[in-house]
Amino acid sequence: MKNLKDIFYLEMAYALAEKAKGWANPNPYVGTVIVHKDVIVGHGYHVKSGQLHAEALALQRAGPLSRNSTAYITLEPCVHWGKTPPCTEAILQARLKRVVISALDPNPLVFKKGFKKIKQAGIEVSSGLLEEKNRRLNEVYLKYITKKIPFVIAKAAISVDGKIATRKFSSRWISSQQTREYFHLLRGEYDVLMVGINTLIKDDPLLTVRHPNWKGKKIVRVILDSHLRFPLGAKILSTLSQGKIIVFSLKKASQKKADALRKKGVEIISFSSQTLDLKEVLSWLGKNEMSSVLVEGGSRVLTSMFEKKLVDKIIISISPKLIGGKQAPSLLQGEGAGFIKNSLHLKRTNSFQIDEDIIMEGYL
């Protein structure tokens, strides 16, 4: 009975944590529920970096009723000072009777330390319940906090024969309107939207978050542009209020063009290497607290990301169309695998249907 109650209240805490998606980055998504004699007396989730953590907010709402209560927390409470005080201190001061933690925090500053501090204070504490749920919810954070590089998602709309455009590079629209709306909804969950310069030149996209569920949401736009071919009249330059634009290029590119783009508000990051190193790009983003990157193409960028094994997750829509043509770009080009055993194999796959399209997700 106790275990069923714990699951029930932890599920509620996870429902709160889900609300932080796309807003709390690079911090984890955390929810907390405080229960006293089967009555919820406090609840909260970590809304945004710099604001109160879920535990502190829930305890603040519970006030004196938190004494001798049980706290249900989706992730191990922090023990260190950051932008906010340690959550373990708030827990000890609240004089809780019991703490149920779903998952331990892999952050080296926290891992097992929060659990240990609560236990040493004489409070009954447990962990591990619904841990898999936390792994799925915080997949971005789990990679970022341990490796200091962003979690990378490759997204594409393809035909049944794997094409992302025709031989004339026409791609509007392979997927249905409903599918495109779903992908716009997904955009808001991530920190960075990345494309190659060819996509910018051919499609002239805005690369903004426009779904009504994400009012006020900004996203960093990253353009991979070795030789600074970025058009000075591109539509994206009118959207700087909706997120920064960062162009990664090489130092040998035109400094005159770089200065012109800077005057328009674009940030230019130049590398001294002969070719643009995608690992170096991701490392730079990680150092600047960008924890997730959604790669939307084109084919050269996606292929390079796959070949260098930099993609963590793939989300594709497969539409009931046959495009054909040797010159039509595919999702994955390059030399390709010589044997099936050497092909990239998706794990933990999931699929569902939107209109006539099949949406497939998997991990590499």
Side-chain angles (χ1 to χ4, degrees):
M1 188 68 177
K2 182 179 179 181
N3 191 263
L4 288 175
K5 280 187 179 181
D6 288 348
I7 291 172
F8 175 77
Y9 289 121
L10 266 183
E11 289 280 11
M12 292 185 70
Y14 271 111
L16 290 168
E18 290 272 357
K19 294 183 177 183
K21 269 190 172 184
W23 298 107
N25 303 350
N27 291 349
Y29 306 142
V30 184
T32 299
V33 171
I34 311 295
V35 179
H36 183 75
K37 295 181 179 179
D38 291 331
V39 176
I40 296 171
V41 295
H43 67 279
Y45 69 95
H46 180 48
V47 178
K48 198 174 182 181
S49 178
Q51 295 187 17
L52 280 178
H53 286 190
E55 305 93 314
L57 181 57
L59 289 167
Q60 185 183 86
R61 286 173 171 162
L65 292 174
S66 61
R67 184 170 181 175
N68 292 322
S69 295
T70 298
Y72 293 91
I73 311 170
T74 58
L75 190 68
E76 183 179 15
C78 60
V79 294
H80 62 290
W81 276 86
K83 294 178 181 177
T84 58
C87 289
T88 47
E89 293 302 317
I91 287 170
L92 299 188
Q93 289 172 17
R95 302 178 72 178
L96 292 163
K97 180 181 180 181
R98 183 168 172 252
V99 175
V100 179
I101 299 167
S102 180
L104 298 176
D105 190 337
N107 184 344
L109 295 173
V110 182
F111 184 61
K112 293 186 178 179
K113 295 182 179 73
F115 184 97
K116 185 178 179 181
K117 190 163 186 178
I118 294 168
K119 189 174 183 179
Q120 286 177 339
I123 299 172
E124 182 187 344
V125 59
S126 63
S127 68
L129 196 59
L130 301 185
E131 190 172 14
E132 175 62 20
K133 197 176 184 78
N134 187 78
R135 188 184 65 77
R136 292 197 303 271
L137 175 64
N138 278 311
E139 60 187 10
V140 167
Y141 173 77
L142 295 180
K143 180 188 178 183
Y144 173 72
I145 204 63
T146 54
K147 298 186 178 179
K148 298 302 179 185
I149 57 173
F151 186 88
V152 177
I153 306 94
K155 189 226 86 174
I158 67 172
S159 60
V160 172
D161 53 343
K163 304 295 185 181
I164 62 172
T166 68
R167 59 185 172 82
K168 292 186 177 182
F169 301 105
S170 170
S171 60
R172 295 184 178 178
W173 298 105
I174 291 177
S175 57
S176 70
Q177 182 180 341
Q178 293 93 321
T179 297
R180 297 196 299 276
E181 286 176 4
Y182 171 72
F183 279 152
H184 268 288
L185 182 63
L186 279 181
R187 265 189 192 178
E189 294 184 12
Y190 304 109
D191 298 333
V192 174
L193 181 56
M194 180 187 288
V195 298
I197 186 60
N198 289 332
T199 296
L200 190 73
I201 292 171
K202 289 168 186 171
D203 296 342
D204 198 15
L206 296 174
L207 302 179
T208 54
V209 178
R210 300 191 291 277
H211 195 280
N213 284 23
W214 293 106
K215 286 184 180 179
K217 168 72 180 186
K218 295 182 179 182
I219 191 167
V220 175
R221 281 72 60 77
V222 163
I223 314 299
L224 303 174
D225 184 9
S226 300
H227 305 293
L228 287 184
R229 295 188 292 133
F230 195 121
L232 293 177
K235 290 178 184 176
I236 194 174
L237 292 171
S238 66
T239 68
L240 279 162
S241 62
Q242 297 176 62
K244 289 199 299 183
I245 300 171
I246 302 175
V247 174
F248 286 91
S249 69
L250 302 176
K251 286 188 176 178
K252 61 184 180 182
S254 167
Q255 288 307 302
K256 185 178 179 181
K257 184 67 172 289
D259 291 340
L261 286 169
R262 287 191 182 101
K263 284 181 181 177
K264 289 182 175 289
V266 176
E267 186 175 352
I268 309 291
I269 306 298
S270 300
F271 295 141
S272 57
S273 52
Q274 289 300 305
T275 57
L276 213 51
D277 188 332
L278 292 175
K279 287 184 180 179
E280 200 171 357
V281 169
L282 293 177
S283 178
W284 188 95
L285 294 172
K287 286 175 183 175
N288 285 272
E289 296 192 333
M290 297 177 215
S291 60
S292 58
V293 176
L294 180 63
V295 184
E296 291 197 358
S299 183
R300 288 179 64 183
V301 173
L302 288 168
T303 296
S304 294
M305 298 292 283
F306 285 127
E307 287 181 339
K308 290 177 172 59
K309 298 183 178 179
L310 299 176
V311 176
D312 298 291
K313 183 178 183 178
I314 182 170
I315 304 174
I316 58 173
S317 68
I318 306 168
S319 298
K321 296 178 176 72
L322 289 165
I323 293 176
K326 290 181 180 180
Q327 303 304 315
S330 302
L331 172 65
L332 178 58
Q333 299 199 144
E335 186 177 343
F339 299 94
I340 294 298
K341 66 179 182 180
N342 298 327
S343 61
L344 294 174
H345 184 71
L346 293 180
K347 303 164 188 173
R348 306 200 314 271
T349 56
N350 176 50
S351 62
F352 54 94
Q353 191 163 341
I354 297 178
D355 194 25
E356 292 185 328
D357 301 334
I358 295 171
I359 312 299
M360 184 173 181
E361 302 175 353
Y363 295 82
L364 289 162

